[in-house]
Amino acid sequence: MNAKNLLFLFSDQHSAAVAGCYGDPIVQTPNFDRLAAQGVTFDNAYCSSPLCTPSRMSMLTAKHPHNIQVWGNNDILRSGIPTMAHSLGAAGFDPCLVGRLHSIGPDQLLGYSERLVGDHHPNWVGLPRLDMGPLQGTASPDRRSLRNSGAGQSSYELKDHDVTEAALKRLDRIAAEIASGERERFAMTVGYMLPHAPFVAAEDKVAKYMDLVGLAHQRAPNENDEHLWINRWRKYRDILDVTHEEERRARAAYYALVETLDAMVGRVLNKLEDLGLADNTLVVYASDHGEQIGERGLWWKHTFFEESVRVPLLMRFPGVLPAAERREQIVSLVDVTATMLDAMDAPKLPGADGQSFLSVAKNPGVPWHNTAYSEYCYGSQFDWGLDTAGQVRMVRKDGFKLVYFSDAPTQLFNLSHDPNETLNLSDNADYTDIKAELLLLIFNGWNPETVGQIIEETIPSKKLLSDWAKQTNPDSQHVWEMKPEFNRLDRPEA
């Protein structure tokens, strides 16, 4: 049985670990927990890249980042590449997007027929980022996001409130259109910013979690014992000496943001039920990547530790998917897209890397490949990486995870025995065969030298487009108006 309707809730930077349904005993997420109780929870879902735009464009196309050449937040997805929204449209839906897309370039629909609220940033690299007032710089991998954290208000949260209101109103219209015979079904994506930094939230919530969350469980190792790439990253992003006060504030605010997001999702779920649409609707919740929240001395995303690459994935479809069941199978966001299209009886995306796991969601005994990839590649300019170019790729296969670095030692973890990734087995002779097998998977269809060359060759074009935008100031479409006064920090800036 295929679903009549689709509601896809897609957040930004939500670590799977920070949700009640994933075992966190502190955070209050009654609505995520409700989805889990009414549907299927995937415990091993991974992002395609621990960075926003490549992960999102990969998800939309069901292709790995290197197959669409979108590696960084400044890369443009070519409009000729079909997306999930194109497939839904071809199947007779009128796909609607409310909120975040994070697409760079002229195509701000990418197959969606309708877009409400929009993004918080201009469409073009080279145009100035919007002013966040006292929170300027706190949304980036920048030490200011830790120094200027805690109680206050960010424009990201205000934007998500607008996204929620727009989604509720659109669902009301959809229900009226169905009742009048104007439409038969719907497919809606609701894109949220939260719980993405700034690590700033309402004072009462931050105060509550300040007393509950505390410091990170895993401390950063001594510099001599830390992985070379990880240590370089921490130095480059100025997070070697984060104070306990900064850590407690930022972690408490992150928990508060997750609770805030959960309440917004709950309002959308309630509306779906109030309108009588819930029984015929496949609801999917996922996030584009995770958040380190201070674990191992790391913040934001960009790494391949579980906090950064493992994402929540909840699916509910009454009468078709079982309730209150969990799946241990390893899946990726590219598979999530293939699965949603399968459930909606929409065409497969040509050349997709993702595969539908709908049968697995229904029955845990169905065979599955149990493999997921993620990648993070960056050039010498116009990127979100380190101060030098590099290519990093991860494969998770069954109980093992291998991370290949073009300019640092490989990491190999046995997650079945070491879920906190404390012991790198890459040089352990007992795991030579496993390492070789996983490296073959890493390099199957992926060449770090070729990827690096392609990225470097695109730099002149990106510079020209950036200079063009600076000089011509082109209009941006589907942009939510963000004003500096929307942002507030309830204490002096650091």
Side-chain angles (χ1 to χ4, degrees), residues 49 51 66 71-72 75 304 375-379 383-384 390-393 446 451-452 455:
S49 175
L51 189 62
H66 69 273
W71 290 287
D75 286 321
F304 293 86
E375 58 190 88
Y376 178 36
C377 303
Y378 44 92
D383 57 65
W384 293 73
Q391 296 81 46
V392 191
R393 196 180 195 208
W446 185 83
V451 169
I455 292 175

Side-chain angles (χ1 to χ4, degrees), residues 20-339:
C21 54
Y22 281 97
D24 190 293
I26 296 172
V27 71
Q28 295 183 15
T29 53
N31 297 293
F32 292 138
D33 301 348
R34 172 177 28 151
L35 269 182
Q38 297 171 344
V40 180
T41 302
F42 282 81
D43 290 322
N44 293 294
Y46 288 87
C47 65
S48 305
S49 175
L51 189 62
C52 299
T53 297
S55 182
R56 289 170 172 273
M57 299 303 104
S58 174
M59 180 278 298
L60 280 170
T61 59
K63 292 175 179 276
H64 299 312
H66 69 273
N67 283 331
I68 54 174
Q69 296 191 9
V70 177
W71 290 287
N73 285 349
N74 294 336
D75 286 321
I76 297 173
L77 178 68
R78 297 189 301 277
S79 293
I81 300 178
T83 70
M84 174 181 75
H86 287 112
S87 176
L88 290 168
F93 289 90
D94 188 20
C96 171
L97 169 63
V98 186
R100 185 153 171 75
L101 180 63
H102 210 170
S103 171
I104 296 297
D107 191 345
Q108 289 298 309
L109 291 176
L110 295 178
Y112 285 100
S113 302
E114 179 183 21
R115 187 171 181 197
L116 308 173
V117 182
D119 268 310
H120 67 288
H121 54 75
N123 303 161
W124 305 98
V125 175
L127 294 181
R129 305 290 291 185
L130 301 181
D131 188 356
M132 296 186 71
L135 300 183
Q136 192 70 13
T138 61
S140 300
D142 187 302
R143 182 62 175 273
R144 285 175 291 180
S145 72
L146 306 180
R147 292 192 180 109
N148 296 325
S149 60
Q153 174 184 275
S154 83
S155 52
Y156 284 15
E157 181 180 336
L158 289 183
K159 177 178 180 292
D160 276 358
H161 283 300
D162 281 358
V163 167
T164 302
E165 293 298 332
L168 299 178
K169 291 178 181 178
R170 191 64 186 98
L171 284 172
D172 278 331
R173 286 170 48 205
I174 286 170
E177 291 162 1
I178 291 175
S180 68
E182 185 179 343
R183 72 158 66 223
E184 295 182 355
R185 50 190 181 166
F186 73 89
M188 176 188 287
T189 299
V190 182
Y192 284 109
M193 289 293 307
L194 297 186
H196 192 292
F199 300 118
V200 173
E203 183 177 7
D204 59 336
K205 291 188 177 70
V206 173
K208 175 177 67 176
Y209 286 116
M210 281 288 285
D211 294 333
L212 296 172
V213 177
L215 299 175
H217 302 290
Q218 295 194 70
R219 311 311 300 170
N222 295 326
E223 183 172 352
N224 292 337
D225 298 328
E226 190 167 45
H227 185 269
L228 175 63
W229 192 95
I230 300 298
N231 187 256
R232 285 174 53 211
W233 171 259
R234 293 208 303 129
K235 287 179 178 177
Y236 186 57
R237 293 300 176 183
D238 187 27
I239 50 175
L240 286 176
D241 61 346
V242 175
T243 68
H244 284 185
E245 181 185 358
E246 290 173 330
E247 185 176 340
R248 288 180 184 276
R249 274 201 320 264
R251 282 170 58 82
Y254 183 78
Y255 270 66
L257 292 172
V258 172
E259 180 182 324
T260 302
L261 170 66
D262 178 87
M264 295 178 186
V265 167
R267 294 188 65 201
V268 177
L269 296 178
N270 290 342
K271 174 63 73 171
L272 196 70
E273 293 168 4
D274 292 344
L275 294 172
L277 298 173
D279 288 346
N280 294 321
T281 300
L282 169 64
V283 177
V284 179
Y285 172 73
S287 196
D288 60 355
H289 49 71
E291 161 65 56
Q292 289 283 166
I293 56 169
E295 298 294 336
R296 300 179 179 82
L298 293 163
W299 294 88
W300 317 301
K301 51 264 190 183
H302 311 92
T303 80
F304 293 86
F305 290 119
E306 292 287 276
E307 294 86 358
S308 177
V309 291
R310 191 168 70 96
V311 296
L313 175 58
L314 308 171
M315 300 178 66
R316 183 186 75 186
F317 185 15
V320 176
L321 297 183
E325 290 195 5
R326 307 189 81 91
R327 298 290 181 264
E328 295 296 324
Q329 283 84 349
I330 297 161
V331 300
S332 169
L333 286 181
V334 295
D335 301 317
V336 172
T337 298
T339 303

Side-chain angles (χ1 to χ4, degrees), residues 274-455:
D274 292 344
L275 294 172
L277 298 173
D279 288 346
N280 294 321
T281 300
L282 169 64
V283 177
V284 179
Y285 172 73
S287 196
D288 60 355
H289 49 71
E291 161 65 56
Q292 289 283 166
I293 56 169
E295 298 294 336
R296 300 179 179 82
L298 293 163
W299 294 88
W300 317 301
K301 51 264 190 183
H302 311 92
T303 80
F304 293 86
F305 290 119
E306 292 287 276
E307 294 86 358
S308 177
V309 291
R310 191 168 70 96
V311 296
L313 175 58
L314 308 171
M315 300 178 66
R316 183 186 75 186
F317 185 15
V320 176
L321 297 183
E325 290 195 5
R326 307 189 81 91
R327 298 290 181 264
E328 295 296 324
Q329 283 84 349
I330 297 161
V331 300
S332 169
L333 286 181
V334 295
D335 301 317
V336 172
T337 298
T339 303
M340 290 191 292
L341 295 180
D342 185 12
M344 306 310 293
D345 198 24
K348 293 182 179 180
L349 288 170
D353 296 311
Q355 300 179 39
S356 171
F357 54 77
L358 185 60
S359 59
V360 174
K362 296 176 181 178
N363 180 359
V366 172
W368 179 249
H369 58 68
N370 250 21
T371 307
Y373 296 89
S374 191
E375 58 190 88
Y376 178 36
C377 303
Y378 44 92
S380 58
Q381 298 179 49
F382 297 98
D383 57 65
W384 293 73
L386 287 164
D387 50 347
T388 57
Q391 296 81 46
V392 191
R393 196 180 195 208
M394 177 209 89
V395 61
R396 169 80 196 271
K397 174 70 173 176
D398 297 326
F400 289 91
K401 175 197 288 187
L402 184 138
V403 186
Y404 166 83
F405 299 83
S406 62
D407 57 353
T410 299
Q411 291 178 313
L412 175 64
F413 299 107
N414 183 346
L415 295 183
S416 297
H417 298 151
D418 179 27
N420 292 324
E421 301 169 285
T422 60
L423 183 61
N424 184 2
L425 302 171
S426 181
D427 295 329
N428 188 319
D430 293 339
Y431 294 87
T432 300
D433 291 345
I434 291 173
K435 179 180 177 180
E437 175 189 350
L438 295 179
L439 281 173
L440 284 176
L441 293 177
I442 286 282
F443 296 126
N444 183 20
W446 185 83
N447 184 312
E449 293 182 359
T450 301
V451 169
Q453 181 179 353
I454 293 173
I455 292 175

